[in-house]
Every structure is written in C-alpha cells, then in structure tokens.
Amino acid sequence: MAASVVDAVLENANEAADPLTARERQILQLVAEGNTTKEIARLLNVSFKTAESHRNHIMKKLDIHEVAGLVRYAIRQGLLHP
C-alpha cells in the first residue's frame, strides 16, 4: 500500500470515532511496540490464534494491511510513548 493511501486511511480513522475495542487497542499497542503475535499471546495469556484473530480484526477494521501502517496509526492515536 502506498504511503499516501495509508495517510488517507489514517486521516479518515482520526476523523471517525475510534473503531477499536479496548482489547484491540491493547493488541495494537503491543504490535506497534514490536511484539510478535506469539509474544503478544504470551504477554496477555491468550492463545496464539486469539492474538492473531485480534490482530486480523484490527487490520480489517482500519483497512490497513501492513505492520508499518499499524505503527503509524498507533503513533497518531497516542498509543506509543517515548
């Protein structure tokens, strides 16, 4: 996905109410921090498939299909702290 397309998606997402549940925001934050799905599952004490399912739902809801786009979205939403 081209950067300009990701930017457009992010702008639309910022204008709309947050479509993610609290758990999805938690998963998104962990993804953006660089954790793998396996690590997320271990950290949250859920199965790999559950963590993977959450991640897939996030990507579908946001219409973002790559981790870099998820990281950019998380930064713009203030989910990553320096």
Side-chain angles (χ1 to χ4, degrees), residues 51-80:
E52 184 177 49
S53 179
H54 280 301
R55 182 176 165 159
N56 288 335
H57 287 137
I58 293 164
M59 294 178 110
K60 186 174 182 178
K61 280 183 178 182
L62 299 177
D63 195 26
I64 297 174
H65 307 287
E66 54 195 28
V67 174
L70 291 178
V71 172
R72 291 171 67 191
Y73 179 85
I75 290 169
R76 290 184 181 184
Q77 293 300 308
L79 295 177
L80 292 179

Side-chain angles (χ1 to χ4, degrees), residues 20 23-28 30-32 34-40 44 46-68 70-71:
L20 302 179
R23 185 61 153 194
E24 288 169 340
R25 281 191 305 278
Q26 183 181 30
I27 300 281
L28 175 59
L30 291 169
V31 168
N35 292 287
T36 65
T37 303
K38 185 177 180 179
E39 292 167 335
I40 292 168
L44 299 179
V46 298
S47 73
F48 175 86
K49 286 205 172 252
T50 297
E52 184 177 49
S53 179
H54 280 301
R55 182 176 165 159
N56 288 335
H57 287 137
I58 293 164
M59 294 178 110
K60 186 174 182 178
K61 280 183 178 182
L62 299 177
D63 195 26
I64 297 174
H65 307 287
E66 54 195 28
V67 174
L70 291 178
V71 172

